[in-house]
Amino acid sequence: MDEAERTWRTEFPITERLNYLNNCSLTPLHRRGRERVDRFLAEWSEQGGRAWYDHWIGEYEALREDLAGVLGASAGEIAIEPNVSAGLVGIASTFDYAKRPKVVVSDLDFPTDGHAFLAVADRGAQVEFVRSPDHVRVPLELFERVVDERTSAVCTGHVYFTTGWIQDVRALAQICHRKGAVLIVDAYQSIGALPFDVSASGVDYLVGGTLKWLMGGPGIAFLYARGAVAERARPSAVGWWGVQDPFAFDVEHLEYGSGARRFEYGTPAVAAIYAARAGIDLLGEIGIERVRERHKLLSQRLVDGALDQGWTVRCPRDPEERTPIVTLEHPDPSSVVASLRAAGVICDHRPGLIRLSPHYFNTLEEMDQALALLEPLRAAHAVA
Ligand SMILES: Cc1ncc(COP(=O)(O)O)c(C=O)c1O
């Protein structure tokens, strides 16, 4: 670790006690996040409702600007959401399924990417799943084969949550647009882990949140809607914060807010805004290129070590093809995760998989410690 990396590591008190390798689920709280949330508590305590006007509405709009900066979008293309699921429900409510019933999702996608559309089957939506041949990647040809003039949308991940594989969403946008379909990207696992410019990508909608690589904790997500797409959208899932003038308190008329704002719902969780902005600040200071390089270094140590030990590694072996999500196959992954936890190494499991995800504050020594603990656990299984 160089001097700067050591400094950033001290931002995360958890590193004093634990080897934390579960960042693709939730990055732990950093000192500046805690200071900002303390500031929110002081404002709430000292000002009550007045704090909306003196601080919180300003923080909300500043968060919108921050998110636009991270994505390479304009602020008008960003809606602030409580979670990705809410954003997808809003998007799913905009399509005319009588004209174009088909929605394409992959079997590697996060459940909510399919559920948001399965839930509108009574409005005519028919979800078609493309199936990953190697359970790691979803080749573009599979989408190309099924996207047609009856397709409203493709909704899929930028990075798949069990394999870390990076989808070429720019090429996928072209496939969709050739048939007049919309591309919705679930970028929860990519934003903050990869340099990405949403405007250049051509995607129509993109959803993500601050829990993971943006280091901003739970309670804040975002929805990007490309300018022209947002202006055309007529969501039936709405809230009073998403209208043109919420403070007119007009119950009798619905006038959508301009741009992506129409996808917003109601009163936001303000403490979460403070934590989210702190995480985005931190990322801005480190720099996304630098984060990406360190992710590659740390995750490759895990991949190489696991292969040497004889594990079946599910994620791609080439670091250019994936984020730092490293998954190892095991028939009883929760028992492995529990053993690691007992030794102070925090990771997670998904069906049939142990999932480890280092972040830039981790060290190579921590990767080696995790590997040393993993080795006998694989052998125990192989003997049994
Ligand atoms: C790819 C992906 N999409 C969505 C989610 C969750 O979305 P939500 O904000 O609705 O909890 C996660 C993880 O929690 C995820 O990994």
Side-chain angles (χ1 to χ4, degrees):
M1 276 194 131
D2 66 21
E3 192 53 40
E5 282 157 2
R6 259 193 296 280
T7 306
W8 292 120
R9 187 172 164 84
T10 62
E11 270 283 343
F12 294 85
I14 205 169
T15 58
E16 292 161 19
R17 294 181 299 110
L18 294 170
N19 180 354
Y20 190 84
L21 301 177
N22 194 21
N23 294 286
C24 77
S25 183
L26 171 69
T27 298
L29 180 61
H30 29 80
R31 294 182 196 284
R32 85 174 58 179
R34 192 176 198 117
E35 282 161 20
R36 301 277 184 94
V37 174
D38 283 345
R39 196 200 296 166
F40 157 74
L41 292 173
E43 289 161 1
W44 183 17
S45 164
E46 287 159 24
Q47 289 183 268
R50 179 70 221 164
W52 280 114
Y53 306 101
D54 287 355
H55 304 287
W56 297 345
I57 291 172
E59 287 290 322
Y60 188 73
E61 290 308 320
L63 172 63
R64 192 191 306 280
E65 296 282 348
D66 290 350
L67 291 166
V70 167
L71 292 169
S74 71
E77 293 174 310
I78 303 292
I80 298 172
E81 302 287 323
N83 48 54
V84 156
S85 302
L88 287 173
V89 166
I91 296 168
S93 80
T94 63
F95 296 106
D96 182 350
Y97 299 105
K99 283 201 186 125
R100 284 177 171 252
K102 200 193 287 187
V103 178
V104 182
V105 181
S106 93
D107 64 344
L108 289 189
D109 281 311
F110 197 80
T112 200
D113 301 334
H115 295 173
F117 297 95
L118 291 168
V120 286
D122 62 347
R123 291 176 55 180
Q126 295 167 10
V127 185
E128 186 164 331
F129 289 92
V130 294
R131 304 204 178 272
S132 164
D134 61 359
H135 309 291
V136 178
R137 306 165 178 82
V138 191
L140 289 172
E141 308 85 78
L142 297 187
F143 289 106
E144 191 136 38
R145 240 177 264 155
V146 296
V147 174
D148 58 19
E149 282 75 12
R150 297 176 64 250
T151 306
S152 277
V154 169
C155 177
T156 196
H158 186 193
V159 166
Y160 294 101
F161 76 108
T162 54
T163 73
W165 184 67
I166 304 165
Q167 179 59 274
D168 182 352
V169 291
R170 194 182 177 131
L172 190 52
Q174 288 166 5
I175 290 171
C176 292
H177 295 163
R178 277 201 288 277
K179 303 290 181 180
V182 161
L183 176 60
I184 306 157
V185 171
D186 178 346
Y188 217 142
Q189 289 294 352
S190 65
I191 303 302
L194 292 178
F196 182 69
D197 181 330
V198 76
S199 303
S201 75
V203 312
D204 300 294
Y205 289 106
L206 180 136
V207 286
T210 57
L211 196 62
K212 306 172 191 297
W213 306 114
L214 289 178
M215 304 181 285
I220 296 291
F222 52 85
L223 180 163
Y224 159 86
R226 195 151 54 84
V229 174
E231 287 304 334
R232 274 198 306 273
R234 296 280 174 274
S236 62
V238 294
W240 72 285
W241 276 57
V243 304
Q244 195 61 39
D245 181 8
F247 297 104
F249 295 102
D250 179 356
V251 67
E252 294 188 35
H253 303 97
L254 169 62
E255 190 185 345
Y256 287 117
S258 53
R261 190 183 289 264
R262 68 193 58 196
F263 287 98
E264 293 183 357
Y265 295 98
T267 310
V270 180
I273 297 172
Y274 280 66
R277 294 201 65 212
I280 294 170
D281 268 9
L282 198 53
L283 177 67
E285 285 173 23
I286 302 155
I288 187 73
E289 302 287 348
R290 186 173 178 156
V291 168
R292 174 79 178 131
E293 284 315 305
R294 192 145 179 88
H295 282 179
K296 287 194 244 177
L297 175 80
L298 295 169
S299 62
Q300 199 57 31
R301 182 79 147 231
L302 286 176
V303 168
D304 291 342
L307 288 170
D308 283 349
Q309 291 177 7
W311 290 88
T312 303
V313 173
R314 175 73 65 84
C315 63
R317 293 174 185 196
D318 177 356
E320 298 300 332
E321 264 198 271
R322 58 164 161 76
T323 59
I325 292 178
V326 174
T327 41
L328 311 179
E329 295 185 8
H330 196 279
D332 184 13
S334 63
S335 69
V336 175
V337 169
S339 300
L340 291 181
R341 188 171 57 238
V345 177
I346 307 301
C347 61
D348 207 351
H349 56 90
R350 291 293 175 267
L353 296 171
I354 304 154
R355 190 174 68 169
L356 304 116
S357 50
H359 205 351
Y360 77 95
F361 58 73
N362 288 115
T363 63
L364 285 169
E365 291 71 29
E366 287 177 325
M367 303 307 106
D368 294 341
Q369 186 209 2
L371 286 164
L373 291 164
L374 278 165
E375 185 159 27
L377 298 170
R378 190 199 75 83
H381 157 66
V383 170

